[in-house]
Amino acid sequence: EAQVTQNPRYLITVTGKKLTVTCSQNMNHEYMSWYRQDPGLGLRQIYYSMNVEVTDKGDVPEGYKVSRKEKRNFPLILESPSPNQTSLYFCASSSGHTDYEQYFGPGTRLTVT
Amino acid sequence: ILNVEQSPQSLHVQEGDSTNFTCSFPSSNFYALHWYRWETAKSPEALFVMTLNGDEKKKGRISATLNTKEGYSYLYIKGSQPEDSATYLCAPYTGGFKTIFGAGTRLFVKA
């Protein structure tokens, strides 16, 4: 089954404790992306990747890192989480950038205390 | 930053009503427009990808039109059903590799 998976689905952590949210897709997609969703603000792009070893900042990259060492995986790293990073995070992938729809993972709800 | 506006922000309709909402975006350097449907507690799912001025797409009772010259797209739902209750998002692509979503239109359909 074609899908995007994220882990963990739920995470409660404390300020400053490094964490990684994994994202994996099995559709051989080149384009992958991370978004956060906050009430009243909609979906905002954090980082995206056009292909292996090619990543760039979205609109809200501060406090996050990403890497794309393999085509299927695109982990999101929070080196020193802060409470303002409490949010719902989605990973997405697509065959290309403009002409192809994005497939979203199930979401990761992160709470930083 | 690309200015994407969706209106209305929310909409309450009765079952059986037809409805429509708007996505507005800058018309210069247009490449494509995506519509997504996002049900509560689920992930966004693609409805349409539209690329050409005058494009019309249809999926069941939902259809969309695109006007790239004036920078807008309409989404129509005919005979709304409670299961159509969701947030409808648009994402226009006007150059670059970022994805900018509109804030969405939240539709509530009452049985």
Side-chain angles (χ1 to χ4, degrees):
Chain A
E1 180 192 354
Q3 60 181 350
V4 179
T5 57
Q6 292 179 229
N7 282 292
R9 295 289 311 280
Y10 303 91
L11 180 59
I12 300 174
T13 189
V14 296
T15 298
K17 185 176 181 183
K18 181 180 178 179
L19 67 92
T20 299
V21 184
T22 65
C23 173
S24 184
Q25 50 93 5
N26 62 1
M27 296 169 278
N28 201 36
H29 284 168
E30 293 186 346
Y31 187 87
M32 296 186 73
S33 191
W34 276 103
Y35 300 92
R36 60 178 289 173
Q37 193 268 325
D38 303 292
L41 295 176
L43 277 173
R44 294 181 295 166
Q45 193 176 43
I46 304 170
Y47 268 94
Y48 61 90
S49 170
M50 299 301 292
N51 213 324
V52 175
E53 302 292 0
V54 182
T55 63
D56 207 348
K57 298 176 182 177
D59 275 346
V60 288
E62 296 77 21
Y64 304 95
K65 285 175 59 177
V66 292
S67 68
R68 187 95 181 270
K69 293 184 169 51
E70 304 167 281
K71 200 171 187 179
R72 62 183 292 126
N73 297 323
F74 190 44
L76 180 70
I77 303 156
L78 285 72
E79 295 269 3
S80 183
S82 62
N84 65 11
Q85 292 178 297
T86 293
S87 188
L88 178 60
Y89 291 87
F90 286 100
C91 179
S93 73
S94 67
S95 297
H97 176 58
T98 55
D99 293 357
Y100 300 92
E101 68 269 27
Q102 293 190 53
Y103 293 83
F104 284 81
T108 295
R109 186 162 294 279
L110 173 65
T111 301
V112 184
T113 62
Chain B
I1 293 180
L2 180 65
N3 188 24
V4 184
E5 295 186 0
Q6 289 191 248
S7 62
Q9 281 188 328
S10 66
L11 196 52
H12 292 253
V13 301
Q14 292 288 131
E15 182 175 357
D17 288 350
S18 292
T19 186
N20 66 84
F21 18 95
T22 307
C23 173
S24 301
F25 51 89
S27 57
S28 58
N29 298 320
F30 177 84
Y31 285 89
L33 181 102
H34 293 198
W35 278 102
Y36 291 83
R37 168 194 161 94
W38 191 4
E39 291 181 71
T40 303
K42 294 188 178 180
S43 305
E45 290 183 346
L47 282 172
F48 305 116
V49 175
M50 309 175 80
T51 57
L52 299 175
N53 185 44
D55 249 357
E56 291 188 27
K57 300 268 185 169
K58 188 174 181 181
K59 186 180 286 189
R61 294 178 291 98
I62 304 177
S63 60
T65 61
L66 177 66
N67 184 322
T68 62
K69 295 186 189 306
E70 296 181 42
Y72 65 84
S73 177
Y74 292 141
L75 191 80
Y76 302 91
I77 302 179
K78 186 177 178 181
S80 302
Q81 300 297 309
E83 57 264 31
D84 295 328
S85 297
T87 298
Y88 292 84
L89 301 170
C90 70
Y93 292 84
T94 59
F97 297 105
K98 288 184 182 180
T99 302
I100 307 289
F101 280 92
T105 292
R106 186 134 189 226
L107 176 66
F108 300 89
V109 182
K110 187 175 180 182

